Each structure stands twice: as structure tokens, then as C-alpha cells.
């Protein structure tokens, strides 16, 4: 009889171990899925950010060229006020 009871205890222990293994696998699966989602978000964020920064850079370049043009006009007007007299 003692042997039969030991078999039940072993079966229960195995069942507990299997249940714990499934719970660990499920946890790892959730972690893996969330890491994958985070990675996909970061890739998308990088792409969007690069695009927006490139657009801002183009606008900044245009503003810088316009400012340089204004600086030349102001320096010309300051050096030769007679050119702009009406």
C-alpha cells in the first residue's frame, strides 16, 4: 500500500511540476510578445522621427538661406544707403 501512496504523491508532484512549467512558458510567451511589440514600436518611432527630423531640417535650411539673404540686404543697405533712397 505504501507504494501506491508514493505513486500518487509522485503523480501529484509531476502534475504540479507540469502546471508550473506551463505557467512559466505562458509567462515567457507574454514577455516575448511584449518585447516584440516594444521592438516594433521602437522601429516605427525611429522611422517616424527620422522623417520628421528630415522635414524640419529642410525647413531650417530654407530659413537659414532666407536669413543669410536678409543679412546681405541689410549690410548692403547699411554700406550704401543711397541705393535705397526714394
Amino acid at each position: 500500500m505504501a507504494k501506491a501512496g508514493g505513486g500518487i504523491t509522485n503523480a501529484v508532484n509531476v502534475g504540479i511540476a507540469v502546471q508550473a512549467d506551463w505557467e512559466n512558458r505562458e509567462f515567457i510567451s507574454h514577455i516575448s510578445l511584449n518585447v516584440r511589440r516594444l521592438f516594433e514600436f521602437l522601429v516605427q518611432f525611429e522611422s517616424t522621427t527620422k522623417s520628421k527630423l528630415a522635414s524640419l531640417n529642410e525647413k531650417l535650411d530654407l530659413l537659414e538661406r532666407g536669413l543669410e539673404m536678409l543679412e546681405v540686404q541689410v549690410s548692403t543697405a547699411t554700406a550704401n544707403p543711397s541705393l535705397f533712397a526714394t
Side-chain angles (χ1 to χ4, degrees), residues 7-22:
I8 292 173
T9 303
N10 284 340
V12 169
N13 288 340
V14 168
I16 292 170
V18 168
Q19 181 65 32
D21 184 58
W22 276 107

Side-chain angles (χ1 to χ4, degrees), residues 26-75:
E26 185 176 0
F27 176 74
I28 290 169
S29 176
H30 286 185
I31 295 295
S32 296
L33 178 62
N34 287 329
V35 167
R36 195 173 313 125
R37 286 179 180 164
L38 178 61
F39 177 77
E40 290 169 359
F41 166 78
L42 290 174
V43 167
Q44 181 64 34
F45 180 78
E46 178 192 27
S47 174
T48 302
T49 304
K50 279 184 177 181
S51 172
K52 289 181 179 182
L53 285 174
S55 175
L56 286 173
N57 192 43
E58 289 175 13
K59 291 176 183 178
L60 184 58
D61 286 343
L62 287 172
L63 288 172
E64 286 174 341
R65 282 189 290 239
L67 182 60
E68 288 172 358
M69 181 87 97
L70 289 172
E71 287 173 343
V72 167
Q73 290 175 350
V74 167
S75 66

